[in-house]
Amino acid sequence: MIFDQTHFIIILTWLITISLALVCQLIFGISYMKMRSHQKLVKKSKYVKLTEDYLDLPIHQITAKKIKNSDFPIFISSWSLKFNSSDADTQQKLIVVANVLDISNRCLKTLKKSQSFVHHKNTREICLLIHTLGNIYYSNKNSETIQTDIQSFVKNKMDIISFEACIALLKIDSKKYYPLVLDEIISREKWNNQELKHLMQFFNTPTAVVMIFNKIKNHNHLNEKRIIKIASRTNHLSDYSSYILNNMQDFSVDSICLAIRNINNIEDFKLIEHLKEESSWVYHINIIHAIVKLNYFSEENFNFLLKCLSSSNWWVRHRSAEAIIKNYNSDENLVNFLIKLIDDQFSKESLQVAFNKNKLHQNLRIQ
């Protein structure tokens, strides 16, 4: 019995000691992380101020004061942050500052060291270096060597590194790199939402529009969805939509529906009149959307909406009811008159729900 109690006390003591050690280690770890975080914030504030100070100095007073290698990422982060939020004149001043401080050569040296052992730990730094080079050589088409160095990262297996390389090249010479970057965007299907938003802002020029048109014309069933999605992120979707609707036999239902939703004129609407007779509710939903978008409530279209109001599909009834209410401008007398004329109970309910919803929204706007 004594032997058992002794062992129990020993084991308990060890457990308490280990627990205390783990707690102390956790406290130390948290304190250390807080201290490191504080140090980074102090350094970041320091370099943000330094960047601001450089802008107020004459060129001959900007000295290439040595920045520690450990602090260099923080400095170029502050520099690029200022560059991204500045007007054209300030950006030019920042480029001058970068050249005086020889930032580009330091970025390139670090990049070349990192290129042979790219891993997740230094991905963030590589992206920052590429991003900074893209800013320093903004619209500088004579920077062939730099462009070659950046281009070597376009095919990188990590999407984020390739993304930064593509953005940097588009900043330097968008027209030259349209083909390379567009092919990369098509192949990297993980680039969505934010990535496409940033990339496609460079593709709103006449040259880019022609290039995307050619991709649409020469699509195949494997890349059609991706190409149309890319086109939809530009400012010229209505132009692409017109082409799709004129060549419906070459496109999928999804592409046709996207084009219908983005019809921009009544002439193009005539191209989809025959789809009203299709049995697919998907077409009907998108035709209703186009009617509302164009505010095209012709007699034929209003009759189509009435027909859709008695559809067996809830979404079609719902959307057609909303369109009819919009056409009636929420006139309660007209809505009530139409409800009395309709025999179908589901149609009546859809109209009433749409009317109540619209009235609620109007009241909220008034308040």
Side-chain angles (χ1 to χ4, degrees):
M1 189 69 179
I2 295 173
F3 177 81
D4 290 342
Q5 286 180 344
T6 303
H7 275 74
F8 176 76
I9 292 170
I10 292 172
I11 292 170
L12 184 61
T13 303
W14 272 105
L15 286 173
I16 292 171
T17 303
I18 293 169
S19 299
L20 287 171
L22 289 173
V23 170
C24 290
Q25 189 175 14
L26 180 62
I27 292 170
F28 174 79
I30 292 172
S31 300
Y32 177 75
M33 292 300 293
K34 283 184 176 180
M35 182 184 71
R36 287 289 302 272
S37 179
H38 177 70
Q39 287 176 342
K40 283 185 178 180
L41 284 173
V42 171
K43 286 182 180 179
K44 188 174 181 180
S45 299
K46 169 187 171 183
Y47 286 119
V48 167
K49 185 178 184 305
L50 181 62
T51 305
E52 294 284 353
D53 290 344
Y54 279 142
L55 291 173
D56 296 328
L57 290 174
I59 295 175
H60 67 275
Q61 289 185 19
I62 300 174
T63 56
K65 184 179 179 182
K66 183 68 175 175
I67 300 169
K68 294 179 182 178
N69 288 334
S70 59
D71 291 351
F72 188 63
I74 301 174
F75 172 70
I76 61 175
S77 175
S78 301
W79 183 92
S80 281
L81 186 66
K82 181 67 179 175
F83 186 94
N84 294 338
S85 61
S86 297
D87 56 34
D89 290 338
T90 305
Q91 286 180 343
Q92 286 304 311
K93 290 179 184 177
L94 285 166
I95 290 172
V96 171
V97 169
N99 290 331
V100 173
L101 297 176
D102 201 28
I103 293 176
S104 60
N105 281 331
R106 289 194 67 174
C107 286
L108 282 171
K109 286 178 183 177
T110 309
L111 267 180
K112 286 175 180 177
K113 288 179 183 177
S114 304
Q115 195 168 16
S116 58
F117 54 90
V118 175
H119 52 72
H120 290 288
K121 289 184 179 179
N122 67 341
T123 297
R124 185 183 178 86
E125 183 179 352
I126 291 172
C127 289
L128 179 58
L129 293 166
I130 295 171
H131 182 85
T132 303
L133 287 171
N135 285 343
I136 293 173
Y137 292 94
Y138 191 87
S139 295
N140 184 352
K141 299 178 182 179
N142 297 318
S143 55
E144 286 85 0
T145 304
I146 301 297
Q147 294 173 40
T148 301
D149 288 322
I150 295 174
Q151 194 173 336
S152 65
F153 287 92
V154 169
K155 296 295 181 182
N156 193 278
K157 63 180 181 180
M158 294 189 182
D159 289 323
I160 185 62
I161 292 178
S162 174
F163 170 77
E164 286 294 349
C166 287
I167 288 286
L169 292 173
L170 290 171
K171 285 180 180 177
I172 295 170
D173 189 351
S174 58
K175 189 173 181 180
K176 177 180 177 180
Y177 290 105
Y178 278 151
L180 173 68
V181 174
L182 189 56
D183 285 342
E184 201 64 28
I185 296 171
I186 292 171
S187 66
R188 291 188 184 256
E189 295 193 355
K190 289 184 180 179
W191 285 353
N192 291 303
N193 303 325
Q194 288 299 109
E195 292 91 350
L196 287 183
K197 178 183 177 182
H198 288 296
L199 285 162
M200 298 317 297
Q201 66 183 331
F202 294 94
F203 286 83
N204 288 311
T205 65
T207 302
V209 169
V210 172
M211 195 168 296
I212 293 175
F213 254 123
N214 288 332
K215 291 290 184 184
I216 292 174
K217 290 175 184 177
N218 297 299
H219 74 276
N220 57 54
H221 71 282
L222 296 175
N223 63 21
E224 176 191 342
K225 184 177 180 180
R226 183 63 177 169
I227 290 171
I228 299 302
K229 185 171 186 177
I230 289 166
S232 72
R233 299 306 178 98
T234 68
N235 296 337
H236 299 272
L237 181 55
S238 59
D239 297 322
Y240 303 133
S241 295
S242 182
Y243 176 81
I244 293 170
L245 295 177
N246 274 290
N247 299 274
M248 279 191 248
Q249 69 281 356
D250 298 327
F251 293 92
S252 67
V253 172
D254 287 342
S255 297
I256 294 170
C257 286
L258 180 66
I260 294 171
R261 287 198 302 277
N262 289 279
I263 285 177
N264 214 26
N265 58 72
I266 293 173
E267 284 303 309
D268 282 346
F269 189 91
K270 293 176 182 177
L271 298 170
I272 63 169
E273 289 285 356
H274 68 284
L275 295 178
K276 291 177 181 178
E277 305 305 319
E278 292 286 332
S279 58
S280 174
W281 66 270
V282 177
Y283 283 135
H284 295 167
I285 284 282
N286 288 285
I287 293 171
I288 293 167
H289 181 96
I291 291 171
V292 174
K293 181 187 176 187
L294 293 171
N295 199 30
Y296 186 30
F297 292 96
S298 63
E299 183 180 349
E300 291 81 2
N301 281 342
F302 190 76
N303 288 333
F304 171 72
L305 292 175
L306 288 175
K307 181 181 177 182
C308 289
L309 194 59
S310 59
S311 170
S312 59
N313 184 281
W314 183 89
W315 283 108
V316 175
R317 292 200 308 273
H318 177 66
R319 296 302 183 195
S320 59
E322 288 184 334
I324 290 169
I325 296 300
K326 183 179 186 300
N327 181 47
Y328 277 177
N329 199 24
S330 296
D331 187 312
E332 191 165 1
N333 291 328
L334 284 173
V335 174
N336 288 332
F337 178 73
L338 182 59
I339 290 174
K340 288 178 182 178
L341 289 177
I342 295 173
D343 294 329
D344 182 68
Q345 187 61 34
F346 289 124
S347 301
K348 289 176 181 285
E349 289 176 1
S350 296
L351 273 175
Q352 191 64 59
V353 168
F355 176 76
N356 294 340
K357 182 180 176 182
N358 194 65
K359 191 173 182 180
L360 178 61
H361 287 168
Q362 285 182 338
N363 291 335
L364 289 172
R365 281 197 296 267
I366 293 171
Q367 292 175 4

